[in-house]
Amino acid sequence: MSVPKVLIPWLLIAFLFLSCTALFGQQNFYDNDLLPASFHKDRREQLRKKLPPGSMVVVFSNPVRNRSNDVDYKYSQDPDLYYLTGLMEPDAAVVIFSEPREAFGATSDEILFIREKDDSRELWDGIRLGVKMAGEDLNFDHVQVNRKFLEMSGQVKGIDNFYIKYPTDIDVNIGKKSSLNRMVKEMRSWLADERVSDGAGRLSTFLAELREVKTDEELVLLQKAVDITCAGLEKAIRNIKPGMTEYQVQAIAEFEFRMMGSEYQGYGSICGSGPNTSILHYTDNRRPMDDGELILMDIGAEYHGYTADITRTVPVNGKFTDDQRKIYDLVLKAQLEGIKKVKEGERFRAAHELCARIIGEGLRDLGIISNKSEYMKYFMHGTSHYLGLEVHDTGTYGTLQTGNVLTVEPGIYIPEGSPCDERWWGIGIRIEDDVLVTPDGPQVMSDKLPKGPEELEQLMSQ
């Protein structure tokens, strides 16, 4: 059937609008390896066990964030809300009670507040779960439309302990009754009337204790993210040569990410060459690369919400200089020894303390510093952080347990003008792997990606 000519301009406008508008938190109906609803239900139950009697937890969704004019960023859910519910939609909240309570004519120990079905908006933004589908797909026996949240204070009585996680970047004085803004405003007003605090600090501790120990289901997704990242970095390393730009290296890795099913990067990809190897969070990635330089690639693919975080540093021309190799060998020695400290019962900071000692002694022996205590001139960041739903994932930073996943990423960065022999200037090296704590010791999840200097040179020669 042909389209009347008069409609063609309007159809074109609609197509362009849909092409430029971010997805407003559509659920994933296409992949069959998502976390099951039973996982999220169990997480709510584990949180409930930590609550004192008479408690109520409220976790809100993230807001939709505007990029420019009528274009929004791709929606990213609050990690804690996703962890507890599996929901990917905005304008939502989950309420968890320490024991069942009556509200809105039903008795339950949890309520999910969610957007209404709206055929006209779904035409533009994608399918919404709605109350019925959310209850079935997300395993909730009590689901309400989000505008009902404004009636919560009149429905629930006798709460002794409130634990609230608020979103950021919102204006509570604007928005419809069904908007996140108005829901947050109602919650704050309720607490003000009760003359109690929001208990956010204790809630963050409860969730950190849960999220730092990964379940088997989570580890499957995290390993997938790591495997994709290794493949992308290996493809990039094979193709690096003088004259390329940093963004071309980034493009090779991220193309591989998407080809293997990664939805996004876990963070802005770092591809810094030459002097940019010494900028820790460099993300411009626009510089042409020269012969004789290094390129530092700190990249992580995200898969179903879980992100990897891996770094490799290689010579642009495929061969380390003698001085580059000396610094590289020192960083690699520190990293390999640091990984040995990632084991059950060890302190979280033990790996960093060992890496710092090795690097301090090594820099002193090379004559770059006069005393090993000066290592922070050239190694100024921590060695490890937790990894999971966020690249710097939440955790207690106490004693390591089986199921913890953390990075081990020592580095040495010597920018031009540093107070040392200029032969070392412009050398920036970081080596990073993702490590799982197991009963049998550390398991390097990213060990399939080479990091030995000879292995890297051989890979680049291919």
Side-chain angles (χ1 to χ4, degrees), residues 9 90 145 155 163 221 244 249 267 297 319 325 348 377 387 394 412-413:
V145 294
Q155 293 284 328
Y163 301 100
L221 298 183
M244 290 177 64
V249 177
Y267 53 97
M297 299 160 289
K319 187 72 175 175
R325 177 66 184 268
F348 186 92
K377 289 180 181 178
L387 198 62
T394 187
I412 295 173
Y413 317 92

Short mmCIF file of all heavy atoms in Angstrom, two decimals, residues 9 90 145 155 163 221 244 249 267 297 319 325 348 377 387 394 412-413:
data_model
loop_
_atom_site.label_atom_id
_atom_site.label_comp_id
_atom_site.label_asym_id
_atom_site.label_seq_id
_atom_site.Cartn_x
_atom_site.Cartn_y
_atom_site.Cartn_z
N PRO A 9 6.27 13.95 4.93
CA PRO A 9 7.06 14.81 5.83
C PRO A 9 6.83 14.50 7.30
O PRO A 9 7.75 14.52 8.11
CB PRO A 9 6.59 16.23 5.47
CG PRO A 9 6.04 16.10 4.08
CD PRO A 9 5.43 14.74 4.02
N PRO A 90 12.01 4.06 34.53
CA PRO A 90 12.09 5.21 35.43
C PRO A 90 10.77 5.43 36.17
O PRO A 90 9.82 4.65 36.02
CB PRO A 90 12.38 6.37 34.48
CG PRO A 90 11.70 5.97 33.20
CD PRO A 90 11.82 4.47 33.13
N VAL A 145 0.35 1.50 40.72
CA VAL A 145 0.78 2.56 39.82
C VAL A 145 1.48 3.63 40.65
O VAL A 145 1.14 3.86 41.82
CB VAL A 145 -0.39 3.16 39.03
CG1 VAL A 145 -0.97 2.11 38.09
CG2 VAL A 145 -1.47 3.71 39.95
N GLN A 155 -1.55 5.35 54.25
CA GLN A 155 -1.82 3.92 54.19
C GLN A 155 -1.03 3.11 55.21
O GLN A 155 -1.50 2.09 55.70
CB GLN A 155 -1.50 3.40 52.78
CG GLN A 155 -2.39 3.93 51.69
CD GLN A 155 -3.74 3.26 51.68
OE1 GLN A 155 -3.88 2.09 52.02
NE2 GLN A 155 -4.77 4.01 51.30
N TYR A 163 14.41 3.75 56.09
CA TYR A 163 15.68 3.66 55.36
C TYR A 163 15.40 4.04 53.90
O TYR A 163 14.78 3.27 53.16
CB TYR A 163 16.25 2.24 55.44
CG TYR A 163 16.50 1.77 56.85
CD1 TYR A 163 15.59 0.93 57.48
CD2 TYR A 163 17.63 2.16 57.54
CE1 TYR A 163 15.82 0.48 58.77
CE2 TYR A 163 17.87 1.73 58.84
CZ TYR A 163 16.95 0.89 59.45
OH TYR A 163 17.18 0.47 60.74
N LEU A 221 27.30 -13.44 34.61
CA LEU A 221 27.21 -12.21 33.82
C LEU A 221 28.50 -11.41 33.89
O LEU A 221 28.93 -10.83 32.88
CB LEU A 221 26.03 -11.37 34.31
CG LEU A 221 24.65 -12.00 34.17
CD1 LEU A 221 23.57 -11.03 34.62
CD2 LEU A 221 24.39 -12.47 32.75
N MET A 244 48.01 5.80 13.82
CA MET A 244 46.61 5.69 14.21
C MET A 244 46.29 6.74 15.26
O MET A 244 47.18 7.31 15.90
CB MET A 244 46.31 4.30 14.77
CG MET A 244 46.34 3.18 13.76
SD MET A 244 46.06 1.56 14.53
CE MET A 244 44.37 1.74 15.14
N VAL A 249 41.70 3.22 18.09
CA VAL A 249 41.91 2.09 19.01
C VAL A 249 40.65 1.85 19.82
O VAL A 249 40.19 0.70 19.97
CB VAL A 249 43.12 2.37 19.93
CG1 VAL A 249 43.30 1.24 20.93
CG2 VAL A 249 44.39 2.58 19.11
N TYR A 267 32.08 2.40 31.64
CA TYR A 267 32.58 3.74 31.95
C TYR A 267 33.23 4.27 30.68
O TYR A 267 33.39 3.54 29.69
CB TYR A 267 33.60 3.71 33.10
CG TYR A 267 34.73 2.73 32.89
CD1 TYR A 267 35.96 3.15 32.39
CD2 TYR A 267 34.58 1.38 33.18
CE1 TYR A 267 37.00 2.25 32.18
CE2 TYR A 267 35.61 0.47 32.98
CZ TYR A 267 36.81 0.91 32.48
OH TYR A 267 37.83 0.02 32.27
N MET A 297 45.36 1.49 27.66
CA MET A 297 43.94 1.25 27.36
C MET A 297 43.26 0.68 28.60
O MET A 297 43.54 -0.44 29.02
CB MET A 297 43.81 0.28 26.20
CG MET A 297 44.41 0.77 24.89
SD MET A 297 44.74 -0.59 23.73
CE MET A 297 46.13 -1.40 24.56
N LYS A 319 57.13 -2.77 20.07
CA LYS A 319 58.36 -3.17 20.77
C LYS A 319 58.68 -2.18 21.89
O LYS A 319 58.82 -0.98 21.65
CB LYS A 319 59.53 -3.21 19.78
CG LYS A 319 60.81 -3.77 20.34
CD LYS A 319 60.72 -5.29 20.54
CE LYS A 319 62.07 -5.86 21.00
NZ LYS A 319 61.97 -7.30 21.31
N ARG A 325 60.50 -0.94 29.17
CA ARG A 325 60.45 -2.31 29.67
C ARG A 325 60.80 -2.38 31.16
O ARG A 325 60.20 -3.17 31.92
CB ARG A 325 61.42 -3.18 28.86
CG ARG A 325 61.54 -4.62 29.31
CD ARG A 325 60.23 -5.40 29.12
NE ARG A 325 60.38 -6.74 29.66
CZ ARG A 325 60.78 -7.79 28.94
NH1 ARG A 325 61.07 -7.66 27.66
NH2 ARG A 325 60.87 -8.98 29.51
N PHE A 348 41.31 -5.87 52.76
CA PHE A 348 41.10 -5.33 51.42
C PHE A 348 42.34 -4.56 50.95
O PHE A 348 42.71 -4.64 49.78
CB PHE A 348 39.87 -4.41 51.40
CG PHE A 348 39.51 -3.91 50.03
CD1 PHE A 348 38.62 -4.61 49.24
CD2 PHE A 348 40.09 -2.76 49.52
CE1 PHE A 348 38.30 -4.17 47.97
CE2 PHE A 348 39.78 -2.32 48.24
CZ PHE A 348 38.88 -3.02 47.46
N LYS A 377 54.60 10.03 44.27
CA LYS A 377 54.81 10.99 43.18
C LYS A 377 54.41 10.36 41.84
O LYS A 377 53.98 11.06 40.93
CB LYS A 377 56.28 11.40 43.11
CG LYS A 377 56.77 12.29 44.24
CD LYS A 377 58.25 12.62 44.04
CE LYS A 377 58.78 13.50 45.16
NZ LYS A 377 60.24 13.79 44.98
N LEU A 387 34.03 -4.62 42.06
CA LEU A 387 33.53 -4.61 40.69
C LEU A 387 32.19 -5.34 40.66
O LEU A 387 32.01 -6.35 41.35
CB LEU A 387 34.54 -5.32 39.78
CG LEU A 387 34.47 -5.09 38.28
CD1 LEU A 387 34.71 -3.62 37.95
CD2 LEU A 387 35.50 -5.97 37.57
N THR A 394 29.94 -0.96 45.17
CA THR A 394 29.81 -0.76 46.60
C THR A 394 30.35 -1.97 47.36
O THR A 394 30.34 -3.10 46.86
CB THR A 394 28.35 -0.50 46.98
OG1 THR A 394 28.26 -0.14 48.36
CG2 THR A 394 27.48 -1.71 46.71
N ILE A 412 52.50 3.17 37.25
CA ILE A 412 53.56 4.18 37.40
C ILE A 412 53.37 5.19 36.28
O ILE A 412 53.24 4.82 35.11
CB ILE A 412 54.96 3.56 37.33
CG1 ILE A 412 55.19 2.62 38.51
CG2 ILE A 412 56.04 4.65 37.31
CD1 ILE A 412 56.51 1.83 38.43
N TYR A 413 53.34 6.47 36.65
CA TYR A 413 53.06 7.55 35.68
C TYR A 413 54.11 8.64 35.86
O TYR A 413 54.18 9.26 36.93
CB TYR A 413 51.65 8.11 35.91
CG TYR A 413 50.64 7.02 36.15
CD1 TYR A 413 50.35 6.58 37.46
CD2 TYR A 413 50.00 6.38 35.10
CE1 TYR A 413 49.44 5.56 37.69
CE2 TYR A 413 49.09 5.36 35.32
CZ TYR A 413 48.81 4.95 36.62
OH TYR A 413 47.92 3.94 36.85
#
